Amino acid sequence: MLAVGHACVDVYQGAVASLVPFFVAERAYSYAAVSGIVLAASLLSSVVQPLFGALTDRWAMPWLLPVSTLLGGVGIALAGVSGSYGLTLLFVAISGIGVAAYHPESARIARIASQGSHSAMSWFSTGGNLGFAVAPLMVGAVVATGGLRLTPVLVLPALAACVLCLPVLRELGKRQVAGSAAVAPAGPDDTASFVRLSLAVVCRSVVFVGLSTFISLYATQRMGGSTAAGTAALFVLYLGGAVGSVLGGALAGRWGRVAVSRWSYLITIAAVAGVLVAPGPALYVFVAMTSAGLYVPFSLQVTLGQDYLPSRIGTASGITLGLTVSIGGLASPLVGSLADATSLRTALAPLVVMPVLSWLLFRTLAEPNAPRLGARHGPESRAQGAADTTPVNGSPTQVQVG
């Protein structure tokens, strides 16, 4: 249920980039202007998500799941019918706040439900990636039919996700009433490793946000002006992420999260270069490789962050799922401005450097010796807590879930 709800929420992250070609076509926005829209979705999210993470470390707030989901959907629904560029930025920012509020608490609950399993957390992440993948198809089907005035239809996934949250909240309520398990000691934080991990995620985010913002326009140019070709490229970018997340969880169980992430970033270097130089339909192959390479480490980075900061799981989730990812949106206006001055291919070329930096940063990281589920919450949430001593391969040896 959490994975499907995650898919519904992340539709609205993918929807922002999916709306970019329609803003260009209907409103004649420049590359820099549409980059500003992506920035609006990312900037407030960058600030808000760690704040919500810190709050969930202190108090359990499961009610955030339906409330934040609805906020994310309403923002996107209104962005297309707003009468000005300023209102469009405002509504997209509201959607970004909703998405930001959702992730720390949902990641905390998912970690409890998964009992520390890397594979199970990868499925939770895959739900979000599938939401990304569906976004361009959904936005394309709705907006291409009736223009931006039909964006209110896009609120439907948010309504569905609110309904899906109800069984999760009921189950948590039952555990709170019946459970009495104590939370295990969290253990020491490895702040230095967490900072290096966060920098690696920032570099990954710059690549992904840059490509998701402009790959549709880039593929349209490369394929002779076909908007369908652009939508297909964005779909491949998002769908490859879903495959990569599942693959990452499986590979980490055998070789460890840090080693798998290093190899993924090495592959991504070649894949991004291929996007820039591959002729014709081969472009889609390299888009898929880039997406998989960027998403194999995605859920692994979330659990690594939680294990590097075991006393502040909500904060770690807010930073690895939110702040570092959203910071990638800050680079989008730079890419857009460079594209306006030169060309899209020239503007996208610096993205090749980012996975190189992520790989170098991961070379300085070590696998946590004993991942534990030990976030501390206030009295309201202790009955929902969990204790977990989990080896690197993700198979729990001792789990207590209240």
Side-chain angles (χ1 to χ4, degrees):
M1 301 300 289
L2 284 168
V4 176
H6 193 190
C8 294
V9 171
D10 277 4
V11 159
Y12 299 110
Q13 291 203 78
V16 177
S18 303
L19 286 169
V20 163
F22 298 100
F23 285 133
V24 172
E26 287 195 28
R27 300 181 180 177
Y29 287 165
S30 67
Y31 291 142
V34 293
S35 298
I37 292 174
V38 176
L39 176 63
S42 302
L43 187 58
L44 281 178
S45 180
S46 300
V47 176
V48 170
Q49 197 151 172
L51 173 61
F52 279 103
L55 291 174
T56 60
D57 279 333
R58 187 171 179 83
W59 301 287
M61 296 187 290
W63 54 267
L64 269 180
L65 271 63
V67 172
S68 58
T69 298
L70 191 60
L71 197 62
V74 169
I76 291 297
L78 295 177
V81 296
S82 58
S84 69
Y85 182 73
L87 283 176
T88 300
L89 292 178
L90 174 63
F91 289 131
V92 168
I94 289 173
S95 178
I97 292 174
V99 172
Y102 174 86
H103 282 95
E105 181 67 359
S106 66
R108 181 189 70 85
I109 295 172
R111 185 71 186 261
I112 293 173
S114 69
Q115 300 180 349
S117 166
H118 305 323
S119 179
M121 284 297 290
S122 75
W123 282 105
F124 171 71
S125 297
T126 297
N129 299 333
L130 288 174
F132 266 109
V134 168
L137 301 180
M138 184 181 68
V139 170
V142 171
V143 182
T145 300
L148 290 171
R149 63 185 178 83
L150 289 186
T151 54
V153 176
L154 300 177
V155 80
L156 292 177
L159 299 177
C162 288
V163 174
L164 290 171
C165 286
L166 298 180
V168 176
L169 300 183
R170 281 199 299 267
E171 179 63 23
L172 286 174
K174 291 177 183 177
R175 292 184 179 188
Q176 185 175 20
V177 171
S180 59
V183 178
D189 291 339
D190 185 354
T191 305
S193 292
F194 182 78
V195 170
R196 292 195 295 271
L197 171 71
S198 299
L199 291 174
V201 180
V202 167
C203 294
R204 173 215 170 271
S205 174
V206 170
V207 180
F208 183 77
V209 176
L211 286 178
S212 64
T213 303
F214 295 108
I215 193 64
S216 181
L217 295 170
Y218 180 68
T220 298
Q221 291 179 1
R222 293 283 301 276
M223 299 297 169
S226 169
T227 56
T231 300
L234 194 58
F235 174 70
V236 169
L237 181 69
Y238 291 161
L239 185 62
V243 175
S245 288
V246 175
L247 187 60
L251 294 175
R254 181 165 184 176
W255 286 292
R257 292 167 289 179
V258 172
V260 169
S261 298
R262 288 174 185 162
W263 281 104
S264 297
Y265 284 123
L266 273 178
I267 293 170
T268 304
I269 298 168
V272 176
V275 169
L276 298 174
V277 301
L283 167 70
Y284 296 103
V285 176
F286 286 101
V287 170
M289 288 176 58
T290 298
S291 180
L294 291 173
Y295 267 99
V296 162
F298 186 74
S299 66
L300 309 182
Q301 291 166 159
V302 175
T303 58
L304 277 171
Q306 292 172 337
D307 291 337
Y308 287 140
L309 289 185
S311 70
R312 291 174 286 168
I313 284 184
T315 299
S317 301
I319 291 174
T320 53
L321 276 172
L323 178 61
T324 50
V325 173
S326 300
I327 285 175
L330 302 180
S332 255
L334 300 177
V335 176
S337 297
L338 183 58
D340 284 331
T342 57
S343 69
L344 263 180
R345 177 179 285 183
T346 300
L348 294 175
L351 297 183
V352 178
V353 178
M354 294 297 106
V356 176
L357 297 177
S358 293
W359 175 73
L360 290 173
L361 286 163
F362 260 92
R363 284 181 59 84
T364 69
L365 297 176
E367 193 76 34
N369 291 326
R372 288 179 291 264
L373 182 59
R376 292 187 289 240
H377 301 283
E380 301 91 335
S381 65
R382 295 189 185 201
Q384 298 173 13
D388 178 19
T389 53
T390 308
V392 172
N393 64 11
S395 301
T397 57
Q398 178 184 349
V399 177
Q400 294 177 341
V401 178

